Every structure is written in C-alpha cells, then in structure tokens.
Amino acid sequence: MIRFIFGVTILVGYLILFIPVLLILWVVGKFNRRARDIISLRMVQTAFKAIIWTTGVKVTVIGEENIPRDHPVLFVANHRSYFDILLTYSRVKGLTGYVAKKEMDKAPILNIWMRYLYCLFLDRENIKEGLKTILKAIDYVKQGISICIFPEGTRNKADSELDVMPFHEGSFKIAQKTGCPIVPIALNNTVEMFEKHFPRFTPCHVVIEYGKPIILSELSREDQKRIGVYTRNIIVETLKKNQELV
C-alpha cells in the first residue's frame, strides 16, 4: 500500500505543481511548437518513470531496435493494465499520441497534458465521432507523429493474457491511409503490477517486446484485408513465447 500511496502522490503532485508550467509551455508553443512538444514529452516521461519505479517492477525490453527512427509508425498493443500506457510511453523516442477512451478527456489538468502530447479521445459508442478521431490520427501521422492504439478497445480482463480479444479493424485505417509501418507490441504480465492486487502496487517482472514493422504493401491482399487478425496473431504468438520469461 505504501508503494501505491507514493505513486499516487507523485502523480497528483506532478499535476498540481506543474500547473504554472502548462502556462509557460503554452507561451513557448506560440514561438516554437517543436520545443514545447519535446519538453512536454520528456517531462511526462520522467513522471511516468518515477511512478513505475515505485512499483518495484523489473522490465525486460526486447526488439526495441525494430522501431523505425526516421518516420512515424502505428504502435499496436494488447491491453491488460493501466500501466501499459506508462510502460510504453516512457520509452518512446519521438512524439507519439495515444488513442484513449473519451472519459479521459474529463480528467482535469491531465487532459491538458494529454492534448499537448497529441493524445486523442475516442468515443466508441458514436461511430461518427470515432471516425473523426481516426481521421485526426491519420493527420497526425502525416505530420510525423506516431500513434499508439490498443485495438481490443478496452482493458482485457480475461484470466489468461493469451486470451486476447479481437482487434477492431477500424483501428488500422491509420496505417492503411498513411502507409506508415505497424509496430506490434506484446506486453506480458503487466496486470500483476496493479489490477490483480488492487489497490496495491506489486513488484513483478514484465516483458515488452516490439515486433518487426509490418509493411502493408508487402502483405498478401488477404492479409491486408484482415490486418487486425494478422497483427493480433503476431502479438499472441509473442505473448506465448515470452511467458516463460516472467
């Protein structure tokens, strides 16, 4: 419980103490948006790393060299824990927007940081609004900003992490319309950090593996049509392989 209290203190303290920083960043953005973006990215990553540290988790990372450095990508990951976001976002090298559920847009102060970091809020119940979000993500990729999405649509609460829910094919429109590579991310054992022991943070071992980029134009026509299934299969096989490591 002490770890949990410490982690929450870091989060709340960061949000409150850095309110003046938001104003400064707003001013910086008027003159140099790139500088504002990078400063915001590194500040949030520092906070996320501090919170992860409080959990006592051991993180093994595989395949990070597979991430292209010279152009944006669509990151696609399985989703079991709130910490999936912290673990992956704390490692991105360049600007990366996450697609989050619309309820997150109601979180005071946090929603401002998220918008600074090109996060998007998806309304899964409203097809029209959901399409607008995907179109905005496509625009971001065209601007050179990577996007990360959890195409299961919500946190998977199945007993086995191998029981990955079907991926929503609409999530892959971002890659289909921009031609950007898809980088699959397999996250093993992240649910042990918090959700399985709520409300305690629990030291454990998690594995993050970045797969080789998927280039749509190099796939068969059938795989291109069912890219959600194709990507899900890669992630499931990677999860199986890495279970022995945790």
Side-chain angles (χ1 to χ4, degrees):
M1 183 60 77
I2 294 177
R3 292 179 183 274
F4 175 75
I5 294 173
F6 193 20
V8 171
T9 300
I10 291 175
L11 176 60
V12 174
Y14 179 91
L15 291 175
I16 294 175
L17 294 177
F18 282 86
I19 289 176
V21 175
L22 285 171
L23 178 59
I24 295 173
L25 289 174
W26 178 80
V27 174
V28 170
K30 291 295 182 181
F31 298 95
N32 189 330
R33 185 169 181 175
R34 175 70 179 176
R36 184 207 71 179
D37 291 346
I38 296 301
I39 293 171
S40 299
L41 170 64
R42 301 309 176 206
M43 288 179 64
V44 171
Q45 285 183 317
T46 299
F48 281 1
K49 289 176 181 178
I51 295 171
I52 292 170
W53 175 79
T54 67
T55 69
V57 67
K58 175 186 176 183
V59 181
T60 295
V61 181
I62 303 170
E64 206 163 20
E65 69 279 2
N66 288 325
I67 304 173
R69 305 296 186 191
D70 56 349
H71 50 263
V73 304
L74 174 65
F75 291 107
V76 174
N78 61 305
H79 192 24
R80 298 268 286 167
S81 170
Y82 292 117
F83 274 95
D84 296 340
I85 298 168
L86 278 70
L87 288 164
T88 54
Y89 194 79
S90 62
R91 304 196 67 84
V92 300
K93 306 304 180 184
L95 296 177
T96 304
Y98 276 55
V99 178
K101 58 185 180 181
K102 67 172 184 177
E103 288 78 9
M104 293 299 296
D105 196 20
K106 299 177 182 178
I109 305 176
L110 179 61
N111 59 356
I112 300 176
W113 280 107
M114 292 179 73
R115 289 184 181 280
Y116 268 20
L117 297 168
Y118 298 96
C119 290
L120 297 164
F121 303 96
L122 181 64
D123 185 346
R124 300 184 180 92
E125 305 300 323
N126 188 319
I127 296 177
K128 184 177 181 180
E129 290 302 315
L131 178 59
K132 288 181 180 179
T133 300
I134 296 300
L135 290 175
K136 187 65 176 177
I138 290 171
D139 183 55
Y140 281 167
V141 171
K142 290 179 178 178
Q143 294 179 44
I145 301 164
S146 294
I147 295 292
C148 182
I149 195 165
F150 300 99
E152 290 174 277
T154 187
R155 282 188 304 114
N156 188 342
K157 300 177 183 178
D159 291 336
S160 171
E161 67 183 0
L162 299 182
D163 189 14
V164 178
M165 293 186 291
F167 283 3
H168 294 287
E169 294 287 341
S171 305
F172 295 85
K173 292 292 184 184
I174 300 167
Q176 291 169 333
K177 295 298 184 181
T178 63
C180 74
I182 300 168
V183 176
I185 307 175
L187 300 163
N188 281 83
N189 210 38
T190 58
V191 72
E192 289 288 342
M193 296 177 66
F194 179 56
E195 284 77 8
K196 272 197 174 181
H197 308 278
F198 179 85
R200 293 181 292 117
F201 288 171
T202 305
C204 62
H205 181 202
V206 305
V207 178
I208 306 172
E209 178 160 353
Y210 297 88
K212 292 183 178 180
I214 300 169
I215 310 299
L216 286 172
S217 61
E218 297 177 357
L219 301 181
S220 68
R221 184 168 297 181
E222 182 62 25
D223 285 335
Q224 289 184 40
K225 289 181 179 179
R226 304 173 70 246
I227 186 59
V229 174
Y230 182 89
T231 307
R232 178 185 177 277
N233 288 341
I234 290 175
I235 290 176
V236 170
E237 289 304 311
T238 306
L239 291 172
K240 289 180 181 178
K241 174 179 69 72
N242 290 337
Q243 275 195 318
E244 63 185 29
L245 298 179
V246 299

